[in-house]
Amino acid sequence: AATNASTELASWTVSATPSLEISGDDDAGEPRIGIAEGVARLGNGELVIADRGLSSLRFFSNSGELLRTVGREGDGPGEFRYIAGMLPCSDSLFVHDITRGEPYQVFTLDGSLARSLSFESVQGEIAYRTTCNPDGLFLHMGWERLKAMALGRARGTTLYWLAAANGRHHATLGEYPGSERLVIEGGTSPHPLGREPVLAFSRRRAYIGTADSFAVLSFATDGTPTAVLRYLDTDLRTTQDDIERFKFLDTAGQNSAMQKSLVRMWEGVEYPATIPAYDQMIVDARDQLWVRRTPRRIAGDAEWIVFSADGTPLARTTISGELRVHAIGDDYVLGIAVHPTDGTQSVRLHTLRRGS
């Protein structure tokens, strides 16, 4: 069944100016933020940042004061070599370090190391992308399956499945399109401006967005397909602004050698004729799904469409396209922003007003 698209949506407001911003250096000249890969707001109002650049979890007060640091660079328990992300799931923080044999270190909400975890493979697939829901279930997308490995742009299908908090298989959702890849000599990488599936997971529904159009697949927690969520599409034809935005984000925060390598790679790329319909999904504190239309410029606002817990289009709002959103509460939006002029990062908390 498909939910009918509608233009009659409530208009919600996210403040343009953050109520809290963590950036730059402290009074002693020490960086407050390095390369943030995840951020969460805890029940007591504290913020925790998973920081790859500083190889640690950093806890800040609700006024932005650094309270404590957990971890350091290394390969031992509670240490980090390359933080790729953080998932706040149920009562734990799952920190993904791609260099470890068991890639997730699980911390309590106060920063104590509880255990390490790896997810079992399913039908030979290992997870390429992962998210979780508040009850501690996980949604995985596997690596792409490309039958023909001709050089250039390619997109295969991959397996999607659910797992329990102990890493064990819970339910299989099926095979759907995977990441659009740039096939080069010796391997593949995400294709510039290619379609990248996005995942979200509420208490009742797992969401898979393939980004071909403004449609999102949904599934019950036992793996049963449910409604397809839809909203109105816009003109997705690729523009020079889209290409410039991709190049900016691709090089932001990279060292000069990596930037030069990326610039060389762009020279041989043929960009897709259309961009992905959306590039982010997140479930808020009310179990509502937020979907962001892909921003079209380096600076400017992006439109978000909010769906109710039953899949009905509910509201729309705009949020700065600089902000990669990581959490949405009853009255706030929290994310990591990349500054459009110099590529520096900041963690920002914005006020959310839900209108009628």
Side-chain angles (χ1 to χ4, degrees):
T3 300
N4 292 328
S6 170
T7 56
E8 298 177 1
L9 301 183
S11 182
W12 295 355
T13 303
V14 176
S15 64
T17 302
S19 57
L20 174 64
E21 183 168 14
I22 299 171
S23 62
D25 298 337
D26 61 20
D27 294 339
E30 296 296 322
R32 286 164 55 78
I33 186 172
I35 303 172
E37 294 290 353
V39 61
R41 194 181 196 194
L42 307 181
N44 60 5
E46 291 180 7
L47 302 182
V48 55
I49 300 173
D51 199 313
R52 172 161 59 92
L54 301 176
S55 297
S56 58
L57 299 181
R58 294 167 65 80
F59 290 78
F60 291 83
S61 72
N62 57 14
S63 61
E65 176 191 2
L66 179 63
L67 300 175
R68 60 192 180 281
T69 297
V70 172
R72 61 183 180 182
E73 187 173 5
D75 301 307
E79 297 177 339
F80 307 105
R81 186 65 65 183
Y82 191 106
I83 295 175
M86 178 180 68
L87 296 172
C89 309
S90 184
D91 59 353
S92 301
L93 302 170
F94 288 71
V95 182
H96 186 199
D97 186 331
I98 60 175
T99 68
R100 303 181 72 90
E102 290 188 305
Y104 286 89
Q105 294 193 85
V106 185
F107 294 83
T108 62
L109 297 183
D110 65 1
S112 300
L113 179 63
R115 58 193 171 102
S116 294
L117 174 69
S118 59
F119 290 96
E120 70 174 349
S121 63
V122 176
Q123 298 180 25
E125 290 281 346
I126 59 174
Y128 174 69
R129 186 164 290 135
T130 296
T131 191
C132 62
N133 78 353
D135 294 327
L137 286 176
F138 289 81
L139 167 60
H140 296 299
M141 163 192 163
W143 287 80
E144 81 283 355
R145 296 174 176 178
L146 299 177
K147 293 182 172 60
M149 293 295 285
L151 300 182
R153 189 168 67 249
R155 192 183 196 189
T157 60
T158 189
L159 189 71
Y160 293 78
W161 72 97
L162 305 181
N166 61 4
R168 300 288 184 154
H169 174 264
H170 176 73
T172 298
L173 305 183
E175 286 207 17
Y176 299 96
S179 169
E180 198 164 15
R181 311 295 288 181
L182 177 62
V183 184
I184 57 178
E185 295 288 351
T188 72
S189 64
H191 195 285
L193 287 181
R195 283 158 179 74
E196 283 291 318
V198 287
L199 309 177
F201 203 176
S202 73
R203 291 190 182 277
R204 297 193 297 159
R205 296 286 183 266
Y207 299 102
I208 298 173
T210 61
D212 296 276
S213 66
F214 210 94
V216 178
L217 305 175
S218 70
F219 302 81
T221 54
D222 65 357
T224 304
T226 53
V228 178
L229 284 59
R230 300 185 188 276
Y231 195 63
L232 303 176
D233 276 305
T234 56
D235 185 352
L236 299 177
R237 286 175 291 187
T238 302
T239 68
Q240 190 61 38
D241 281 344
D242 297 317
I243 294 171
E244 293 306 316
R245 180 177 183 274
F246 161 76
K247 290 180 175 180
F248 168 74
L249 292 176
D250 203 31
T251 54
Q254 302 285 1
N255 61 41
S256 59
M258 178 58 74
Q259 288 183 357
K260 290 176 182 177
S261 174
L262 292 168
V263 169
R264 286 196 299 270
M265 185 194 73
W266 299 337
E267 294 173 354
V269 166
E270 179 181 350
Y271 292 93
T274 58
I275 65 165
Y278 47 79
D279 67 346
Q280 263 201 274
M281 298 195 306
I282 191 166
V283 173
D284 70 11
R286 300 184 182 183
D287 239 22
Q288 297 165 343
L289 178 70
W290 293 52
V291 184
R292 181 174 84 165
R293 292 194 192 277
T294 302
R296 309 302 297 267
R297 299 180 304 281
I298 293 175
D301 289 340
E303 182 183 48
W304 290 75
I305 305 300
V306 186
F307 294 86
S308 67
D310 64 6
T312 303
L314 176 66
R316 65 173 297 278
T317 190
T318 57
I319 303 174
S320 169
E322 302 169 19
L323 193 73
R324 184 82 182 172
V325 175
H326 284 256
I328 302 174
D330 283 331
D331 59 1
Y332 69 85
V333 170
L334 174 66
I336 301 168
V338 178
H339 197 278
T341 56
D342 60 12
T344 57
Q345 282 189 334
S346 61
V347 166
R348 298 179 185 172
L349 186 70
H350 293 260
T351 301
L352 165 63
R353 294 182 177 86
R354 300 174 187 254
S356 55

